[in-house]
Amino acid sequence: MDQNESKMKHRDVEDLLLPDESGKNTIDIESELRKDSGDKPKKILTGSTITVIIVAVLAALSLIVIYSNDNLSEQFDAILKGELGKYKEELRKVQEDRIREIEDLTGNKYGSVTLFYSPQDAQVMMKQMKYTKDCSSFAANEEDVLLCLKKPFDYTQKPEVKEIDNKSLHLDKEKKEIVDSLPFNDMPIQEANEERTIVDAFEVEIEIIREGYDPRKFHFTGDKNRIGVLGEGWESKYWDQKGPGIFMVDFQGADLNPKPETAKNNYMAAVKEMECIKREVAAKREAGKTVNQDTVNGVYSEILNKHEFKTVEEYNTVDNALRTTQPEWYEGFWKEVEKMPCAAAGL
């Protein structure tokens, strides 16, 4: 190789070298390889491009979150339509309606009733049952509380039972004490806690009993679906709202039906007293004295009531039953009545 060729080759090698910090030449192998392979240099992402991508991704995620939630979706749509104020007003109204409905479902209710019955020396046995609906586990969400409160009470649960005392249970039989009526005010029908998450429903079972009479049984409830649930022998009464905060049951009184033997004894006592009045009236009239028939009828009514006959029709019913079912006894009894002595009644 001559000297000229050696210089040319040395120059070609120098062309491949790049000066380093020391001023010496180095080989940019990566650039040379790109030239040889024909590849173009890769583009490098700038900071602004990365920011745009991140914003776009976050926006997409936000939209996914918004449209996966009904409330956020409705609010976002309202913003797009320029109706955010209207949307908020509708939300406020919905919340007010929900609160009002919760208040209606949990409002305290109390009722008043007066019990009257015959015989007036009967005993009134009363039991109060309390059933509880507990929605406190949903207290964090008004919508869930409302859904829970709307569910019916579970009457299959064992209720809390309370005996209700009253003066009919403490009568002195020797003194022949009676009860004209038993008034009850502010009897609980429904009560709720202050948070309105626990509600109690109350029912009352009443049995009016007297020896020699068939008992009467009543069931007071504030739930119309409970009417008749206790079955045969029970008379259900509903606490009906008669005015603001006024609840009453349609109680028309309870007259106990005497058992056959009791009715017979009452009939005998009444007949004997009325027979004596009849004789006294006849004697006075024969003597020329005036006896007002209305006065006589009033005395008869008092005698019938005294012996547990509320009306003349009821007395006649027993009279007819004894005449047809016990004819021999009936005939013998009236013969005894005709012969019995009477004391003056003082008419």
Side-chain angles (χ1 to χ4, degrees):
M1 179 182 301
D2 58 21
Q3 189 173 2
N4 289 333
E5 286 183 12
S6 177
K7 288 181 179 181
M8 288 179 65
K9 287 182 179 181
H10 181 69
R11 194 178 299 114
D12 290 338
V13 172
E14 286 181 344
D15 290 341
L16 297 174
L17 299 178
L18 293 175
D20 60 11
E21 293 178 355
S22 62
K24 296 181 180 180
N25 292 334
T26 60
I27 299 176
D28 186 356
I29 299 175
E30 183 178 356
S31 297
E32 291 301 320
L33 288 174
R34 288 199 193 106
K35 290 179 183 179
D36 293 340
S37 62
D39 290 342
K40 296 181 179 179
K42 296 180 180 179
K43 295 182 178 179
I44 299 175
L45 296 178
T46 63
S48 60
T49 302
I50 294 174
T51 300
V52 170
I53 292 173
I54 292 174
V55 170
V57 171
L58 291 177
L61 291 175
S62 298
L63 289 175
I64 292 173
V65 172
I66 289 173
Y67 281 102
S68 63
N69 183 289
D70 292 339
N71 291 334
L72 291 177
S73 176
E74 291 175 358
Q75 186 171 347
F76 185 67
D77 290 341
I79 293 173
L80 295 179
K81 295 177 182 178
E83 298 177 349
L84 183 59
K86 178 181 178 181
Y87 173 75
K88 288 184 176 181
E89 177 62 22
E90 290 176 351
L91 284 182
R92 184 189 64 78
K93 186 177 183 304
V94 168
Q95 185 179 25
E96 287 181 354
D97 291 343
R98 184 165 52 244
I99 293 174
R100 189 178 299 108
E101 193 169 2
I102 290 175
E103 291 175 348
D104 290 341
L105 290 170
T106 59
N108 292 341
K109 299 176 184 178
Y110 301 93
S112 299
V113 65
T114 298
L115 304 179
F116 52 96
Y117 47 87
S118 68
Q120 292 179 311
D121 60 349
Q123 290 186 310
V124 180
M125 318 297 291
M126 303 179 66
K127 291 191 300 183
Q128 181 187 79
M129 271 67 65
K130 182 172 77 171
Y131 299 89
T132 300
K133 183 193 297 184
D134 189 349
C135 299
S136 58
S137 60
F138 304 102
N141 189 306
E142 285 182 351
E143 293 183 7
D144 292 337
V145 170
L146 181 56
L147 289 174
C148 176
L149 293 173
K150 285 183 175 181
K151 294 180 179 178
F153 277 88
D154 178 13
Y155 292 102
T156 62
Q157 64 177 281
K158 186 177 181 181
E160 180 181 327
V161 181
K162 174 185 176 182
E163 302 286 343
I164 300 178
D165 193 20
N166 63 85
K167 61 183 180 181
S168 76
L169 304 176
H170 309 286
L171 298 179
D172 190 333
K173 292 184 178 181
E174 293 184 358
K175 295 181 180 180
K176 296 183 178 180
E177 291 180 340
I178 62 172
V179 172
D180 291 327
S181 62
L182 290 175
F184 294 94
N185 298 314
D186 298 325
M187 293 188 74
I189 303 171
Q190 177 175 289
E191 291 181 338
N193 63 345
E194 292 184 3
E195 294 77 16
R196 298 182 182 271
T197 56
I198 301 177
V199 187
D200 297 320
F202 298 85
E203 294 188 342
V204 180
E205 293 180 6
I206 301 171
E207 292 189 64
I208 305 175
I209 59 175
R210 167 69 153 82
E211 184 179 356
Y213 291 78
D214 294 325
R216 294 280 297 274
K217 299 189 292 185
F218 297 90
H219 169 224
F220 294 172
T221 179
D223 188 341
K224 286 185 176 180
N225 294 321
R226 295 280 291 168
I227 298 297
V229 296
L230 296 189
E232 187 178 356
W234 288 91
E235 302 175 51
S236 292
K237 302 291 182 180
Y238 175 66
W239 287 107
D240 198 11
Q241 187 169 7
K242 302 297 184 180
I246 301 174
F247 293 85
M248 302 178 69
V249 293
D250 184 20
F251 187 79
Q252 300 294 328
D255 297 320
L256 307 187
N257 292 322
K259 294 180 178 180
E261 194 61 31
T262 303
K264 184 177 180 178
N265 292 335
N266 290 345
Y267 173 81
M268 292 168 62
V271 165
K272 290 177 179 180
E273 284 197 42
M274 289 191 293
E275 177 63 21
C276 290
I277 296 298
K278 178 182 177 181
R279 292 179 190 179
E280 186 172 350
V281 170
K284 288 180 179 291
R285 286 175 176 170
E286 286 180 3
K289 295 181 180 180
T290 301
V291 180
N292 188 286
Q293 187 60 41
D294 289 339
T295 301
V296 175
N297 292 339
V299 174
Y300 284 162
S301 294
E302 290 178 3
I303 293 173
L304 292 177
N305 291 335
K306 175 183 176 182
H307 297 290
E308 309 303 336
F309 293 104
K310 295 176 287 297
T311 63
V312 175
E313 290 74 15
E314 186 175 321
Y315 165 82
N316 290 335
T317 298
V318 174
D319 178 83
N320 183 63
L322 292 172
R323 183 190 299 111
T324 55
T325 60
Q326 303 180 40
E328 293 183 4
W329 173 88
Y330 186 85
E331 184 179 351
F333 168 70
W334 274 99
K335 287 181 180 180
E336 291 179 5
V337 170
E338 291 174 357
K339 298 177 182 178
M340 72 177 187
C342 286
L347 283 174

